[in-house]
Amino acid sequence: MKRGKTKAEPAPPATLFLFGAHGDLVKRLLMPAVYNLARDGLLDPNLHIVGVDHNEVGDAEFAQRLRAFILDQARAKQPDQVLDEASVIDPAVWGPLAERISYVTGDFTSDDTYQAIARTLQANGTGNAVFYLATSPRFFTEVALRLNRAGLLTEHANGFRRVVVEKPFGSDLASAEALNHQLLELMSERQIYRIDHYLGKETVQNILVNRFSNGIFEAFWNNHYIDHVQITAAEAVGVETRGNFYDQIGALRDMVPNHLFQLLAMVAMEPPAAFGADAVRSEKAKVVGAIRPWTPEEALANSVRAQYVASSEGTKGYREEDRVDPDSETETYVALKVMIDNWRWMGVPFYLRTGKRLTVRDTQIAICFKPAPYAQFRDTSVDDIKPNFLNIQIQPDEGMWFDLQAKRPGPALVIDNVKLGFAYKDFFQMQPSTGYETLLYDCFIGDQTLFQRADNIENGWRAVQPFLDAWKEQRASLAQYSAGSDGPTEADELLTRDGRAWHTLG
Ligand code: BG6
């Protein structure tokens, strides 16, 4: 996927400004990722980290807090082990990193904050700066505007200036277009790094390597052999502490135009002419742009929205969650059918589903092949012959498997299911990672391949807009599913009416 490098060099010197330094993202993902990059020798000894937020905190105290975040995260991930500090944070890695951590107290809406940032940047002795907007989306334009006003977005020979924008990037097509427009008035596309953390996942990046570095796949990767594709992102967790945010957003906006469409694009895009950022992103934009815009009636018929209700085992329903409206009509589950109008995929449905509080955490792509044309086995009912699937398991237990039919040993001809494939952990040593390591590193080295270009974002919203509109205008019904189940029966019907069934979860 990446530029053909086999060994990564340390990133160039730079200052990483973390806007929203006390937020959840910095705690859970960014700081552990920075530490992992330092551990792997991928950061320059002159990489500075500067927290920016309104709380009054000194440099040393901020560094202490970051250290505590890393420790907490590592312990939270392995709750059954007693992890002593030294096994999580190597003093030889942390010591030099901590010396380069500082903090700017300031309001994002005050020009004084940006003057302080400019002074810090100058003092750090490198002109390169990455401004990471780990803030509420309402600050994205505000921060960019003030950075620009302070001259901080102007690049020069010894200084790149890059802005990382987190999701959600807009809440529909119009707001995403407006945000793109505002940002592009202040800086060039080359300076904007729109994050979709699914692209930081090894298994997601591997889809392209598998498809395009193995000659065998291309021969059957089309509508002659593939019957349909299922993309699932099931979560076992509920809305956790994000009830307030999630209740305004819902499952469709939270997961589909970004994460699920990234997976769809990886599976469905044409081979890029080169592995450069623009070639890859152009192919992705094309395929997401080729998703058929449904009429309002079709959008309703091809979507299911649902909300989890309390389970008989006592798990709370969505409306009982903290900071959620007790009459909320927000969906926590969505299932969709989309069609891609191009030569390769004409007639192949893509079924997408994602939801919270399902049985298991399971992100997978299941590619279902057309059946063998004729089953010649005497006395073997055709019903026993299951379709072949290629399962790309994104998380957990990363790997890839074909479901095949084989003869069970013995005198009787009994057809059974077997698996042919590989698990990542059997071949590679997996270091603990958050998925943000690659994205941060790529931002430092200036590789935008794994970031969303303006048209990628807009095409994603364009494809979900018919669902958003139809749901609103036609008051789409809200189905229910029990917390801890596989989802609503209405989602099963979306496939059974086409003579198909969802691949089992877990
Ligand atoms: C985030 C969504 O973007 O992705 C969350 O806002 C969701 O609601 C998360 O839980 C899922 O990410 P992952 O990496 O756990 O699949």
Side-chain angles (χ1 to χ4, degrees), residues 44-99:
D44 188 273
N46 212 6
L47 186 278
H48 295 262
I49 296 149
V50 182
V52 185
D53 220 325
H54 59 272
N55 318 36
E56 296 267 359
V57 183
D59 293 348
E61 191 189 343
F62 180 59
Q64 262 312 316
R65 286 192 188 188
L66 294 184
R67 187 175 183 282
F69 293 160
I70 299 172
L71 207 55
D72 289 352
Q73 280 311 304
R75 287 180 172 155
K77 278 195 177 153
Q78 299 179 54
D80 18 310
Q81 290 188 30
V82 186
L83 291 179
D84 65 285
E85 294 200 18
S87 69
V88 178
I89 302 185
D90 179 350
V93 175
W94 179 253
L97 191 62
E99 281 170 22

Side-chain angles (χ1 to χ4, degrees), residues 28-29 166-168 196-198 201 233-235 237-240 242 245-246 249-251 253-255 258-259 354-356 361 363 394-395 434 436:
R28 289 193 307 115
L29 297 161
E166 264 294 333
K167 95 176 241 290
D196 184 316
H197 80 276
Y198 264 50
K201 294 182 192 287
E235 295 187 88
V237 293
V239 284
E240 302 178 286
R242 298 159 71 227
F245 161 81
Y246 192 87
I249 301 281
R253 289 185 164 97
D254 189 39
M255 295 291 288
N258 31 63
H259 307 328
T354 181
K356 296 212 181 270
R361 176 172 191 241
T363 307
I394 307 293
Q395 58 190 17
T434 66
Y436 271 76

Side-chain angles (χ1 to χ4, degrees), residues 160-232:
F160 61 68
R161 300 298 160 90
R162 297 177 185 148
V163 176
V164 182
V165 188
E166 264 294 333
K167 95 176 241 290
F169 197 99
S171 55
D172 56 14
L173 177 58
S175 56
E177 283 175 338
L179 183 54
N180 272 330
H181 181 75
Q182 286 153 359
L183 295 179
L184 286 164
E185 290 219 305
L186 303 169
M187 62 195 119
S188 72
E189 179 63 42
R190 225 174 9 84
Q191 294 175 273
I192 308 176
Y193 287 68
R194 300 176 193 80
I195 287 244
D196 184 316
H197 80 276
Y198 264 50
L199 289 176
K201 294 182 192 287
E202 289 290 343
T203 25
V204 175
Q205 294 172 37
N206 187 46
I207 299 171
L208 291 198
V209 175
N210 263 291
R211 281 190 59 199
F212 301 134
S213 66
N214 295 297
I216 54 169
F217 289 111
E218 181 54 22
F220 55 73
W221 211 262
N222 54 51
N223 57 3
H224 297 292
Y225 297 97
I226 293 180
D227 175 73
H228 73 279
V229 177
Q230 301 182 12
I231 301 180
T232 300

Side-chain angles (χ1 to χ4, degrees), residues 273-296:
F275 269 118
D278 270 322
V280 171
R281 297 190 299 173
S282 296
E283 292 306 337
K284 285 165 67 178
K286 271 193 233 163
V287 75
V288 175
I291 293 176
R292 185 181 307 163
W294 294 128
T295 63

